[in-house]
Amino acid sequence: MFPVVKGTTKSPSPVSMIKIKSPKSDIKVHKLYFNETSKITPELPKRGNNSSIHNEDKITQAWNKLKINALSKAIAIVPEVGPCTIGPKSFSALISDFDKSDAVDIDKVDLSEAVTSTPFKPKNLNVKPKMKAKLGTLAEKNDSNTFDDSESPPAEDHSCDEYKEIEALRKLCLSKVEAQVERCVQKKTSDILRAWQEYDEKTKEKLLAYKIELDKELLLRIQEQNIEARKVMMESKANAQLKVRELEQSKSDHEKKIAETSERIKLIEQQRKELEEKQKQKREELKQCINNIYKIQVAYGQKYNQINEITKKCRDTRALNERVMGELSELKRMNEQILKLVDKSKEGKVTLIDLKTAETLLQQITTVGEVFARHTDEINEALRISEEAKKRQQQEIELKTKQEAERQQKAQEAERQKKAQEEKERTNKEQPKNKRHENLKLALDVEDCVDADCLRWHLEKSLMLDDCEKTLQPLLNNDSLKQFRFDCQKVVNVPVNAISPLDDLHLEDKLYKLTRMLKGEAVPCAGNTLFLPTGHPLGVLYCMNLLAKKFVKQGEHVVSSKPEAAFAIAAVIVALWVNFPQFGDLLLAHFHRECPYLIPIFIPQVEGQSNEDYYKMLGYQYTDDGKVESQDKFLRRMSGIMRLYAAILVTPLKRSHVAEGKKHPLSMQEGWRWLAATLNLSPRPDISPTLLFDFLEVAGWLFYKTYGSQFTKMLQTLCTDYFPLIEQVTPDGCGGPVVRLKSFLEKILKERAVPPPTGLLPHNFW
């Protein structure tokens, strides 16, 4: 592929390599190989983007490097040439013979030997036989004594001359070799450049052909890809069209569903509106029905009361009962139905049918009332006629008058004896109560136990309660009226136990039932029956006394455990007290009996009085086995009673009562009287701080608001004068009430305000 330089044909020699650094890089290296046929084979650089000019520069640099190496190898001949003796084989003779001989054929010199690192040997030179013999003799002599540049020349004069001759000969050979090598290298360089150019042209042709093939292949591949792309595009287009059709179909289906859903929503909305309208109409109807049924109930009650009044006017009730036996059973049935309608109204389950039933019942009871009135008139008229007939017959019975007088005299005598017996029994029963009154009167002489005015006021209430209980004895001692007493207890206990601050309608309902009871009107009892307190002449008074006693018990058991319940109970009490003053007097009497500290009075023990009687007068209760209750339980009951009493003081009147100009039955003056009277007495352990704390916590805020600075002065007196006395009488280990009172007083004096109690009803609650 590359041109070669012909050389000598000898045995192959080791390949030598000359490394030449590139002028532009310290990494790239060019190599020249010299083989057995003296062929110069350059190692071409890798083909890249370098031009031919750049290649020529590299060749020039390689040539210059080659010359330098050739000269270096020529200098290596010097150690091989040693000194020779004088004679025909001397160095001068050798020089002359060398000059006369033909020049060395430089083309036949083995350059591989010349440029290696081994010493140069003359035997390798292709010289004439005569020169060869001289050089051989010189080499043999040099075997025994090799020349060393490091050694100094021999001391003999002839040796120096020989050395100079050899040096001249060496320089001459080097110059000739250098010239010949330069010519050879230039020729080979031109051949290499020419070969490279040819190679470059062929390579370009191959590259061009390869590029054409590549372009063809690329074009073919592009055409195939275009075909594939068209196929893919066609498939994608077909798929897209299919998807578009599917989407259009889906859209149309979706629009249909949306339209159907919209229609369904509109239908549902319309149905909802119709349902709401129907429900609203039903609520209105229900409200109207409840109101109408309530009005009918009131009218029914009035008709029922009219029937009672007609019954009372009848002079012969037995005859009336015989005549209206059927109407009575019908009246009982109507009462049951009207109570059922009332229960349905409370639950909100009445309908137009129930309203019609109520109207029918009202008409029926009107008819029954007319029947009762007619029969009553007939019976009274018959009695009147009978009385007139008796008057006409009076003359006929005058003869029997004496007999009748005697009989009456005997009856009167028996009546007197009976009254005497009853008076004796009454005296025996009043002995314990009189004894109690005597004990209270004894307390008038002890100023430290009770205020005189307060005691007189209490005795009035106590005597009034005793008279009431005496009056009720016939009702209480009659066993045949046991069921009547039981019904009275029911109509009292059920509404009182149900009192709670739920709302104003709830309290109105309880107040309505209790008011009807105290008026003697019919009220619902157990089941669907109506109870009439006037079924006995003492029934209303008995119910009133039971109600007053029940309210005090609510303070003991309910308010003591749930203080905020006191205000709803107090609201009902005040509303009843305004309309029934006798009920209020009985209530105060029961308050004083259960808690004498509300008077206030600290009853001393009388000589000869048992501990049980004394503790009962103080308000303690005894168990069935004769044990007195614990101090904590006693204080808790007294606290509940005091809180209820104070709640009555601060509870305002109903708006309707205010509009009527009625006054509060238990004014703030009564509370001020109790507080002042208590501070004027010596304190008692436990009970004094307990009741003061409960009273101030419930009613203190209204006293502060009403009396202002006067109340503040009273509190200061309580703190500075009275409270130290409480601490003095309080035994060790019983300081709970004292600590609560002290903390409360310190708080209100520091803040200069008394907070309202928990559970207080709003001022315009009802």
Side-chain angles (χ1 to χ4, degrees):
M1 185 174 181
F2 295 97
V4 298
V5 181
K6 295 181 180 181
T8 59
T9 58
K10 65 174 186 176
S11 60
S13 61
V15 177
S16 299
M17 180 178 66
I18 299 175
K19 295 183 180 180
I20 304 171
K21 291 183 178 181
S22 172
K24 294 185 179 180
S25 175
D26 294 334
I27 299 174
K28 295 182 180 180
V29 177
H30 304 291
K31 303 176 184 179
L32 291 177
Y33 293 88
F34 297 87
N35 53 23
E36 58 191 8
T37 58
S38 299
K39 295 179 181 178
I40 300 176
T41 307
E43 181 182 355
L44 295 177
K46 294 181 180 180
R47 186 166 184 85
N49 297 326
N50 298 326
S51 62
S52 60
I53 297 173
H54 182 63
N55 294 332
E56 291 179 1
D57 293 338
K58 288 185 177 182
I59 293 171
T60 302
Q61 292 174 3
W63 168 240
N64 293 333
K65 190 71 176 178
L66 182 60
K67 288 194 293 182
I68 293 170
N69 291 336
L71 292 175
S72 299
K73 294 298 181 178
I75 293 172
I77 301 175
V78 177
E80 300 295 333
V81 180
C84 62
T85 60
I86 300 173
K89 295 182 180 179
S90 62
F91 194 72
S92 58
L94 182 60
I95 292 299
S96 61
D97 292 338
F98 184 77
D99 291 336
K100 293 177 183 180
S101 63
D102 296 333
V104 180
D105 190 2
I106 194 67
D107 292 333
K108 297 181 180 180
V109 176
D110 190 359
L111 292 177
S112 64
E113 290 291 329
V115 297
T116 59
S117 62
T118 55
F120 182 78
K121 295 180 181 182
K123 64 180 181 176
N124 291 332
L125 296 174
N126 192 9
V127 296
K128 299 218 176 151
K130 186 178 180 180
M131 187 64 183
K132 183 177 180 183
K134 292 181 179 182
L135 291 174
T137 303
L138 183 60
E140 290 175 358
K141 291 181 179 181
N142 193 32
D143 292 333
S144 59
N145 189 11
T146 305
F147 178 77
D148 188 0
D149 289 336
S150 65
E151 297 178 356
S152 60
E156 292 83 0
D157 295 337
H158 62 273
S159 297
C160 293
D161 294 336
E162 290 177 359
Y163 180 77
K164 291 178 181 178
E165 290 177 358
I166 292 171
E167 183 68 20
L169 180 59
R170 186 179 63 81
K171 290 180 179 179
L172 179 61
C173 291
L174 285 175
S175 61
K176 291 183 179 182
V177 169
E178 182 179 352
Q180 186 67 25
V181 168
E182 184 176 357
R183 287 192 300 274
C184 181
V185 169
Q186 289 178 354
K187 182 179 179 183
K188 291 185 180 293
T189 297
S190 62
D191 293 339
I192 289 171
L193 289 174
R194 192 183 308 108
W196 277 358
Q197 289 176 357
E198 293 176 357
Y199 177 75
D200 187 50
E201 291 176 357
K202 291 180 180 180
T203 302
K204 288 181 179 179
E205 291 176 357
K206 289 181 179 181
L207 287 174
L208 182 60
Y210 182 68
K211 183 180 179 181
I212 293 171
E213 291 294 331
L214 285 177
D215 291 340
K216 290 180 180 180
E217 186 177 355
L218 181 61
L219 182 61
L220 183 60
R221 194 172 298 170
I222 289 172
Q223 291 177 354
E224 292 176 354
Q225 291 177 354
N226 289 337
I227 293 171
E228 292 293 330
R230 288 193 189 95
K231 291 181 180 180
V232 172
M233 287 178 64
M234 293 298 292
E235 292 178 357
S236 299
K237 185 177 180 180
N239 293 333
Q241 291 177 353
L242 180 61
K243 288 183 178 180
V244 167
R245 288 194 297 270
E246 291 177 355
L247 287 174
E248 289 177 353
Q249 183 65 29
S250 176
K251 182 180 179 181
S252 62
D253 296 341
H254 186 63
E255 288 176 352
K256 289 180 180 179
K257 289 181 180 179
I258 290 174
E260 293 176 356
T261 306
S262 300
E263 292 295 331
R264 193 177 299 111
I265 291 172
K266 289 180 181 179
L267 181 60
I268 293 172
E269 184 67 20
Q270 184 178 359
Q271 292 176 353
R272 184 185 65 80
K273 289 181 179 179
E274 292 177 356
L275 182 61
E276 288 181 353
E277 189 66 27
K278 290 180 181 179
Q279 290 177 351
K280 184 178 180 180
Q281 187 177 358
K282 286 182 179 179
R283 286 194 297 269
E284 293 295 332
E285 292 177 357
L286 178 62
K287 185 177 179 180
Q288 188 66 27
C289 286
I290 292 174
N291 293 333
N292 293 335
I293 289 175
Y294 177 76
K295 293 178 181 178
I296 292 172
Q297 178 191 356
V298 174
Y300 185 90
Q302 293 175 354
K303 295 290 184 183
Y304 190 85
N305 292 332
Q306 291 176 3
I307 293 175
N308 290 331
E309 294 295 331
I310 293 171
T311 305
K312 292 179 182 178
K313 293 179 181 180
C314 183
R315 298 175 64 182
D316 190 356
T317 55
R318 182 178 297 177
L320 180 63
N321 290 334
E322 291 176 356
R323 291 190 178 190
V324 296
M325 187 66 68
E327 283 75 7
L328 287 175
S329 60
E330 183 68 18
L331 186 61
K332 183 177 180 180
R333 181 189 63 79
M334 289 190 293
N335 289 340
E336 293 176 355
Q337 289 184 354
I338 199 69
L339 288 175
K340 288 181 180 180
L341 293 178
V342 171
D343 294 337
K344 282 188 175 182
S345 299
K346 292 179 180 179
E347 297 174 358
K349 297 181 179 179
V350 294
T351 59
L352 293 175
I353 298 175
D354 297 327
L355 180 59
K356 292 180 180 179
T357 303
E359 294 174 351
T360 304
L361 292 175
L362 182 61
Q363 294 174 359
Q364 291 176 356
I365 197 171
T366 303
T367 304
V368 170
E370 294 174 353
V371 172
F372 269 76
R374 186 178 68 253
H375 288 300
T376 301
D377 293 339
E378 291 176 357
I379 293 172
N380 291 337
E381 183 66 21
L383 289 175
R384 187 184 62 80
I385 296 171
S386 177
E387 289 175 356
E388 291 178 354
K390 287 180 180 179
K391 287 181 181 180
R392 287 191 300 267
Q393 296 175 0
Q394 187 175 5
Q395 295 176 357
E396 297 178 0
I397 61 174
E398 286 179 355
L399 296 175
K400 299 180 181 179
T401 303
K402 293 181 180 181
Q403 297 177 359
E404 184 68 23
E406 293 176 357
R407 187 181 61 78
Q408 289 179 357
Q409 186 177 1
K410 292 179 181 179
Q412 290 176 358
E413 184 66 23
E415 184 70 20
R416 280 196 298 271
Q417 292 178 0
K418 184 178 180 181
K419 286 182 179 180
Q421 183 68 23
E422 290 178 354
E423 183 68 20
K424 185 178 180 179
E425 292 177 357
R426 184 179 61 82
T427 302
N428 294 333
K429 292 180 179 179
E430 287 181 354
Q431 284 180 355
K433 296 179 181 178
N434 293 332
K435 186 177 181 181
R436 180 171 180 269
H437 293 159
E438 291 174 359
N439 293 334
L440 292 176
K441 290 178 181 178
L442 289 174
L444 286 170
D445 299 332
V446 186
E447 295 181 356
D448 194 39
C449 296
V450 65
D451 180 75
D453 294 334
C454 294
L455 183 59
R456 292 189 187 95
W457 176 65
H458 162 65
L459 289 175
E460 292 178 1
K461 303 298 179 184
S462 180
L463 291 174
M464 185 270 297
L465 180 58
D466 292 341
D467 293 340
C468 176
E469 290 177 346
K470 290 177 186 177
T471 305
L472 294 175
Q473 287 301 317
L475 177 61
L476 296 174
N477 296 329
N478 192 341
D479 294 336
S480 62
L481 298 175
K482 184 176 181 180
Q483 182 62 38
F484 180 81
R485 294 195 300 269
F486 182 71
D487 292 338
C488 290
Q489 293 174 3
K490 279 184 181 180
V491 296
V492 169
N493 293 336
V494 172
V496 172
N497 291 334
I499 293 175
S500 65
L502 184 61
D503 53 33
D504 58 336
L505 295 178
H506 175 77
L507 290 185
E508 286 283 1
D509 179 66
K510 305 303 175 286
L511 178 62
Y512 173 76
K513 292 179 179 179
L514 295 175
T515 302
R516 288 180 60 85
M517 179 193 69
L518 296 180
K519 286 182 179 181
E521 298 177 357
V523 291
C525 191
N528 296 323
T529 61
L530 289 175
F531 173 73
L532 192 64
T534 55
H536 190 278
L538 300 175
V540 175
L541 181 60
Y542 179 70
C543 291
M544 185 179 294
N545 187 53
L546 280 178
L547 181 61
K549 189 175 182 179
K550 177 64 177 179
F551 276 128
V552 177
K553 293 296 182 182
Q554 289 294 100
E556 286 185 283
H557 301 109
V558 177
V559 180
S560 60
S561 59
K562 191 176 181 182
E564 59 271 15
F567 299 98
I569 299 173
V572 177
I573 290 175
V574 171
L576 291 172
W577 198 339
V578 169
N579 293 324
F580 304 96
Q582 187 181 2
F583 161 75
D585 293 337
L586 291 173
L587 180 69
L588 284 177
H590 282 287
F591 267 130
H592 294 168
R593 177 179 289 183
E594 297 297 330
C595 181
Y597 310 101
L598 293 179
I599 300 172
I601 182 173
F602 298 114
I603 304 173
Q605 188 172 9
V606 182
E607 184 178 357
Q609 186 181 18
S610 65
N611 290 334
E612 182 175 353
D613 292 339
Y614 176 63
Y615 279 116
K616 285 182 179 180
M617 291 182 66
L618 293 179
Y620 286 88
Q621 292 181 351
Y622 275 77
T623 59
D624 295 336
D625 55 356
K627 292 182 180 180
V628 66
E629 64 180 341
S630 64
Q631 184 71 2
D632 291 339
K633 185 177 179 180
F634 168 72
L635 292 176
R636 187 163 55 250
R637 288 194 307 104
M638 296 299 105
S639 175
I641 294 174
M642 171 53 79
R643 284 184 174 272
L644 180 58
Y645 183 80
I648 295 173
L649 288 172
V650 301
T651 298
L653 295 175
K654 289 183 62 179
R655 291 194 296 271
S656 59
H657 292 162
V658 174
E660 294 172 3
K662 295 183 179 180
K663 295 182 180 180
H664 199 288
L666 194 66
S667 62
M668 296 289 293
Q669 295 177 357
E670 292 297 326
W672 185 272
R673 179 200 60 78
W674 178 87
L675 186 58
T678 301
L679 297 181
N680 289 329
L681 300 176
S682 298
R684 298 298 187 269
D686 291 340
I687 191 65
S688 293
T690 298
L691 296 184
L692 282 172
F693 170 74
D694 293 327
F695 180 83
L696 293 175
E697 188 178 37
V698 176
W701 67 277
L702 188 57
F703 276 79
Y704 189 85
K705 180 179 178 181
T706 305
Y707 297 106
S709 60
Q710 295 296 325
F711 182 67
T712 304
K713 291 179 182 179
M714 183 172 284
L715 290 179
Q716 291 175 351
T717 303
L718 172 60
C719 294
T720 57
D721 300 337
Y722 196 75
F723 189 78
L725 298 177
I726 294 176
E727 291 180 328
Q728 290 177 6
V729 300
T730 301
D732 296 337
C734 300
V738 179
V739 172
R740 286 194 294 271
L741 178 60
K742 183 178 180 181
S743 300
F744 182 76
L745 292 174
E746 290 176 350
K747 181 180 178 182
I748 62 178
L749 290 177
K750 180 180 179 181
E751 298 178 355
R752 294 184 177 276
V754 182
T758 304
L760 183 66
L761 299 179
H763 188 268
N764 57 349
F765 183 75
W766 62 343

